[in-house]
Amino acid sequence: MDALNRDTDLNYGQSRKYHIITYGCQMNENDSERLAGQLRGLGYSSTDQIEQADLILINTCCVRESAEKKIYGKIGELKRLKTVNPNLLIGVTGCLSQKDRDKIFTKAPHVDLVMGTHNVHQLTDLIKEISQSRDRVLAVWDQAERLAPDVPTVRKSQVSAWVPIMYGCNNFCTYCIVPYVRGRERSRPLADILAEVRQLGTEGFKEITLLGQNVNSYGKDGEETIDFADLLAAVDKVETIARIRYMTSHPRDMNAKVIAVIKHGQRICEHFHLPVQSGSDIVLQRMNRGYTTEYYRKLVEKIRSEIPHASITTDIIVGFPGETDELFMQTLDFVRSIRFDAAYTFLYSPRSGTPAATMPDQVPLAIKKQRLQQLMAVQNEISLAINEALIGQTVEVLVEGPSKNDPDKMMGRTRTNKIVLWNRGKEQIGQLISVRVLKAQTWLLKGEVAD
Ligand code: 5AD
Ligand code: SF4
């Protein structure tokens, strides 16, 4: 590795500032909070102004090629800052580091640290190492330790906190890179999870989200004798927490026991995010999803019969290899008949090393884009109609803070995870308030405080 040419002592800490840019999913958001916690331990403080940072970390995602391109562009931009400040440290962490490893140094020689998904807890030591050796460092383990040690966390929100319950994924859906960059499933011990949730309650957090690539397989790796439903029931007993959420569920592993715990629980929110990915049985089979549309439909019926006011959202990929017009029409029909509250829709992106990337009959980009538009038009109409049906109702909202786009408005969410905006009043961040819905849009509700 090249020795870095720094003319001043890299005395980490002591009024030094860090800036973290996070791409990707909630697991990455949580990892960034654990990176921030370690930096604070070294004496760094955070800055929103990237030009003022002594250390920049880019926490990356590689789930789609579009994310990857954007990230390489961003890493390239940072070269300019390094020219201005040769003492600046630049680190690239997360899923893209895990996938591309040394390629990042080749493409971007101004990067000092490349750290994989299994190495997050090592940041403190790695910063010390770079500061002393002044060499670049690559820390990308192929496999995770069974469970990485806990590290301090600096949380972004004062209201809502992520709590990882398991890491990795064993599903190997044929389109997905996650099992290759996040490793096999490892469940976190129940005692550690409960201790963290209780601590968060004591600190004043109102909402927690249990995180994992596939939360419903909690405990299946044999380290715990309980399953996800038991875990939810245990967390539901922590009285200081007002709301419990969880991400992400695999429809195949969602079952009657979990639904019953949510129905009878006090704190678990009535929102089911169940990524269906396609409404065609042929495509689902090629994706290795392990369920049929009939199974999924019955699951939705079960949820709606047990918890009629539950919201159901999904993820859908269009243009998977071999998806013909006819198979895509099946997805459109499925979406029309299920009536999701919302759907996150994606163009299929071939990920090298995954089985789908080399499947025959890859769909041209123009067709993928056309299908995405069609799907979004159908879903938007449904989302709007479902939201319009809420006009006139009063909903319970957890106040998160000012709206990002309009500081005169406050933002919060319903238990069903719908975003609500209202004019700023006397309400406090973290408070549960009642809001009367006055207007509905596809992705949000607008209202007035009802009390
Ligand atoms: N191409 C497009 N979308 C993908 N997703 C995962 N892998 C890919 C891919 N290769 C989507 C899935 C998943 C969401 C997080 O990202 O819909 O549920
Ligand atoms: Fe992206 Fe997946 Fe990594 Fe999350 S786990 S950051 S979605 S590649």
Side-chain angles (χ1 to χ4, degrees), residues 98-383:
Q98 189 71 33
K99 179 169 94 60
D100 281 2
R101 301 173 59 107
D102 0 353
K103 192 172 142 195
I104 295 178
F105 283 143
T106 318
K107 280 191 153 193
H110 55 286
V111 168
D112 302 288
L113 169 68
V114 173
M115 196 174 90
T117 55
H118 307 310
N119 305 75
V120 171
H121 61 286
Q122 291 184 306
L123 183 68
T124 304
D125 290 341
L126 295 171
I127 297 286
K128 288 181 183 171
E129 189 182 328
I130 295 175
S131 304
Q132 277 155 17
S133 69
R134 300 174 177 214
D135 264 357
R136 288 194 210 145
V137 170
L138 177 84
V140 181
W141 287 345
D142 285 337
Q143 280 187 358
E145 289 177 308
R146 227 215 71 75
L147 277 176
D150 282 347
V151 292
T153 308
V154 173
R155 311 231 178 222
K156 252 191 176 166
S157 159
Q158 307 155 255
V159 178
S160 188
W162 315 112
V163 177
I165 63 165
M166 59 179 303
Y167 304 95
C169 180
N170 290 357
N171 284 322
F172 290 97
C173 302
T174 53
Y175 52 80
C176 190
I177 192 90
V178 171
Y180 306 89
V181 292
R182 290 270 174 187
R184 296 294 69 72
E185 290 176 359
R186 286 102 57 206
S187 298
R188 201 176 159 202
L190 173 68
D192 292 5
I193 297 169
L194 283 177
E196 185 171 352
V197 174
R198 287 196 193 101
Q199 174 64 26
L200 288 164
T202 311
E203 288 172 21
F205 286 89
K206 291 289 174 287
E207 178 179 82
I208 57 143
T209 303
L210 306 175
L211 278 188
Q213 256 81 36
N214 180 11
V215 288
N216 297 68
S217 47
Y218 179 80
K220 284 189 185 162
D221 47 324
E223 292 298 316
E224 281 297 333
T225 50
I226 65 162
D227 62 15
F228 181 58
D230 301 326
L231 169 67
L232 271 181
V235 175
D236 193 62
K237 295 203 176 77
V238 181
E239 288 174 0
T240 44
I241 296 292
R243 289 180 172 187
I244 300 164
R245 300 188 185 279
Y246 53 91
M247 290 247 359
T248 293
S249 288
H250 194 302
R252 188 199 54 213
D253 301 320
M254 175 58 83
N255 56 35
K257 189 175 167 190
V258 175
I259 298 169
V261 169
I262 296 172
K263 177 177 177 177
H264 299 295
Q266 279 186 41
R267 301 176 169 80
I268 312 161
C269 291
E270 297 78 11
H271 168 221
F272 291 77
H273 183 65
L274 291 167
V276 68
Q277 311 298 3
S278 170
S280 148
D281 286 324
I282 293 174
V283 175
L284 285 176
Q285 198 174 17
R286 290 182 187 148
M287 287 176 162
N288 190 30
R289 290 291 289 172
Y291 54 82
T292 60
T293 50
E294 186 52 25
Y295 164 89
Y296 189 98
R297 189 184 302 282
K298 289 221 165 90
L299 178 61
V300 169
E301 280 167 11
K302 169 86 181 158
I303 292 169
R304 288 181 172 154
S305 74
E306 296 289 335
I307 313 172
H309 57 292
S311 66
I312 301 180
T313 58
T314 200
D315 292 347
I316 299 171
I317 298 174
V318 299
F320 186 80
E323 185 190 71
T324 58
D325 279 342
E326 194 195 331
L327 297 181
F328 172 64
M329 286 303 153
Q330 292 177 7
T331 294
L332 282 186
D333 288 345
F334 190 74
V335 164
R336 283 193 193 102
S337 73
I338 296 285
R339 294 183 66 78
F340 293 105
D341 287 79
Y344 300 87
T345 51
F346 307 101
L347 300 175
Y348 167 69
S349 171
R351 305 286 57 213
S352 123
T354 62
T358 49
M359 282 182 186
D361 304 319
Q362 297 283 328
V363 177
L365 183 62
I367 294 183
K368 285 188 209 170
K369 286 186 173 169
Q370 222 175 37
R371 288 182 187 165
L372 191 77
Q373 289 308 320
Q374 258 180 295
L375 176 59
M376 280 165 60
V378 168
Q379 179 56 46
N380 286 350
E381 208 176 294
I382 296 167
S383 297

Side-chain angles (χ1 to χ4, degrees), residues 368-406:
K368 285 188 209 170
K369 286 186 173 169
Q370 222 175 37
R371 288 182 187 165
L372 191 77
Q373 289 308 320
Q374 258 180 295
L375 176 59
M376 280 165 60
V378 168
Q379 179 56 46
N380 286 350
E381 208 176 294
I382 296 167
S383 297
L384 184 61
I386 293 176
N387 285 348
E388 279 174 341
L390 292 171
I391 292 176
Q393 290 189 25
T394 299
V395 289
E396 183 203 88
V397 172
L398 176 61
V399 181
E400 289 185 26
S403 150
K404 275 191 199 118
N405 300 327
D406 181 354

Side-chain angles (χ1 to χ4, degrees), residues 23-29 59-64 67 94-96 117 176-179 181-182 213:
Y23 295 89
C25 63
Q26 288 81 3
M27 195 56 97
N28 260 21
E29 296 281 349
N59 195 8
T60 62
C61 172
C62 60
V63 80
R64 280 171 289 274
C95 296
L96 187 60
T117 55
C176 190
I177 192 90
V178 171
V181 292
R182 290 270 174 187
Q213 256 81 36

